[in-house]
Amino acid sequence: PTEPSASLSADSIKIKKEVANAFVKRKKRSSPYEWYFEYYKSPMEQMHERCENYPPCDYLSDQIGFSLAYNRFFG
C-alpha cells in the first residue's frame, strides 16, 4: 500500500464552508465611521504605505525617521 500523504490531492483537503467559518471569523464593524476609514485612508496613511511598500524608504525610515526618509525618496 502507498503512504496516505502520497495520495493527497486538492480534492481531499477541501472543507465545507460552514466548517471553515468556524475557524475564520470576520471582524464586525460597529459604526459607519469605521467603515468609512477602512475604505478612505488619510493622506498621511497613504504616504506611510507608499514608503513601506518601497524597501529602501522603509529601511531608511527605521534609521532616520519616516518624514526624512519619505522626503528623500518621494519629496
Side-chain angles (χ1 to χ4, degrees), residues 34-45:
E34 291 179 32
W35 278 101
Y36 178 84
F37 282 103
E38 181 171 332
Y39 292 105
Y40 302 101
K41 296 176 181 166
S42 71
M44 184 58 104
E45 188 172 353

Side-chain angles (χ1 to χ4, degrees), residues 13-68:
I13 58 173
K14 289 183 180 175
I15 59 175
K16 292 181 185 177
K17 186 167 87 170
E18 294 78 20
V19 176
N21 285 341
F23 295 104
V24 181
K25 294 286 184 194
R26 290 184 179 179
K27 181 181 152 193
K28 300 274 191 255
R29 286 152 195 93
S30 60
S31 71
Y33 181 83
E34 291 179 32
W35 278 101
Y36 178 84
F37 282 103
E38 181 171 332
Y39 292 105
Y40 302 101
K41 296 176 181 166
S42 71
M44 184 58 104
E45 188 172 353
Q46 292 173 2
M47 290 168 55
H48 274 278
E49 288 183 355
R50 186 175 182 195
C51 187
E52 288 171 359
N53 290 332
Y54 185 58
C57 183
D58 189 35
Y59 175 77
L60 194 60
S61 70
D62 291 337
Q63 310 301 316
I64 63 172
F66 166 75
S67 59
L68 292 173

